[in-house]
Amino acid sequence: MGTDRDWEAWGRDDPYYGVLSSEQFRTRALSDEARNAFFDSGARHVQRVLTVIRESFAPDFAPRQSLDFGCGVGRLLIPLARASDRATGIDVSPSMLAEAARNCAAQGIGNVTLAPSHDRLDGVAAGFDLVHSYIVLQHIPPARGHGLIAALAQRVAPDGFLVLQFPHARTTSWLVNALTWLRYHFWPANAVRNLVRGRPLREPPMQLHAYDLGQVLRTLQDIGFGTPRLLPDAAAGSDFESTLLVARRNIEAG
């Protein structure tokens, strides 16, 4: 099982649940009220991010060019586009990108570019004054994700901002961790868990991974970022300690 295939499966079959794993966002249950709540939550998050930047770093910050890595169906991309002159959303799932395009059109958002995501971010130019990713890296194995963090950081313009959410420690026992590993790598184990929980037998696991916070900070320092603000974040659930990192790239970097 691989995360790219898994996320295309989510994008095809259950895209809103794939973004926010609450039963109200399942395709079979998605009401107008639930859809509105889904997008309202994205607007609140983007406002929080902009408030942190303005209160901690730059009181007059207003992004011109924003990038949302792992944009999904546009929950965060749409409010980022409303706050920016231009916004770019990238995602590994073609089905997610197609749904994001439909949502942008439905909400009258015309200043967005959508593109497929690759590990080296091929085709994504540098120069964004806001690069953002939320509840995405946690689903990518760190051996791959640390390289993506470096690639994202290199897309930030001098004096621009990088905003990343990621877990940095597990709070569960070695036995739970071992069973989780088995479910991620051995399809029958995941099928049994789905059966017990009343889920579709072939529903892929939604992988969650912890990153080395020290390695992330060293990477950003090497690329020319100042001391970040680290905020506790509960998005990964009680099995993890998670961080929302907000960092400014030094004006002489690049």
Side-chain angles (χ1 to χ4, degrees):
M1 297 185 290
T3 56
D4 289 5
R5 293 193 302 274
D6 293 347
W7 286 103
E8 173 54 14
W10 287 114
R12 182 187 64 244
D13 300 331
D14 229 344
Y16 294 83
Y17 181 83
V19 174
L20 288 182
S21 302
S22 171
E23 291 299 317
Q24 66 178 318
F25 302 130
R26 289 279 192 183
T27 296
R28 64 175 181 269
L30 190 65
S31 63
D32 288 343
E33 182 181 5
R35 182 185 289 268
N36 289 338
F38 179 90
F39 285 105
D40 286 348
S41 71
R44 289 194 300 272
H45 169 79
V46 169
Q47 186 55 55
R48 177 196 180 201
V49 166
L50 293 175
T51 297
V52 170
I53 291 173
R54 290 164 182 162
E55 290 182 350
S56 301
F57 298 96
D60 299 325
F61 179 70
R64 297 178 302 278
Q65 298 281 342
S66 297
L67 172 68
D68 189 30
F69 172 73
C71 67
V73 301
R75 183 179 77 102
L76 304 174
L77 178 64
I78 288 171
L80 278 173
R82 289 192 170 118
S84 309
D85 294 341
R86 189 82 197 170
T88 299
I90 58 176
D91 200 280
V92 74
S93 165
S95 295
M96 289 282 194
L97 290 172
E99 186 68 9
R102 287 188 285 269
N103 286 326
C104 287
Q107 298 198 35
I109 303 298
N111 62 332
V112 162
T113 300
L114 297 167
S117 174
H118 305 286
D119 282 6
R120 295 191 302 273
L121 302 187
D122 296 336
V124 180
F128 292 93
D129 46 3
L130 177 58
V131 172
H132 170 273
S133 184
Y134 190 72
I135 57 174
V136 177
L137 290 166
Q138 63 185 31
H139 298 304
I140 301 172
R144 182 182 185 188
H146 279 291
L148 281 163
I149 289 173
L152 289 168
Q154 289 162 349
R155 266 57 183 184
V156 179
D159 211 32
F161 292 90
L162 178 68
V163 179
L164 302 176
Q165 175 272 341
F166 54 90
H168 58 84
R170 288 184 177 272
T171 61
T172 48
S173 69
W174 69 268
L175 179 58
V176 170
N177 295 342
L179 292 173
T180 299
W181 184 94
L182 186 65
R183 184 165 61 87
Y184 290 173
H185 294 88
F186 188 54
W187 181 84
N190 186 61
V192 169
R193 185 175 185 269
N194 286 341
L195 188 64
V196 168
R197 297 199 171 196
R199 295 176 177 174
L201 195 64
R202 290 189 172 273
E203 184 172 273
M206 201 169 285
Q207 297 191 21
L208 289 170
H209 300 278
Y211 282 69
D212 183 333
L213 179 57
Q215 182 176 344
V216 173
L217 297 179
R218 289 189 296 273
T219 294
L220 298 187
Q221 184 179 35
D222 290 345
I223 294 172
F225 283 80
T227 302
R229 184 166 180 195
L230 303 175
L231 303 171
D233 186 272
S238 60
D239 290 349
F240 293 87
E241 295 178 6
S242 185
T243 289
L244 181 69
L245 177 150
V246 182
R248 188 177 200 173
R249 195 171 189 185
N250 296 329
I251 197 165
E252 67 273 12

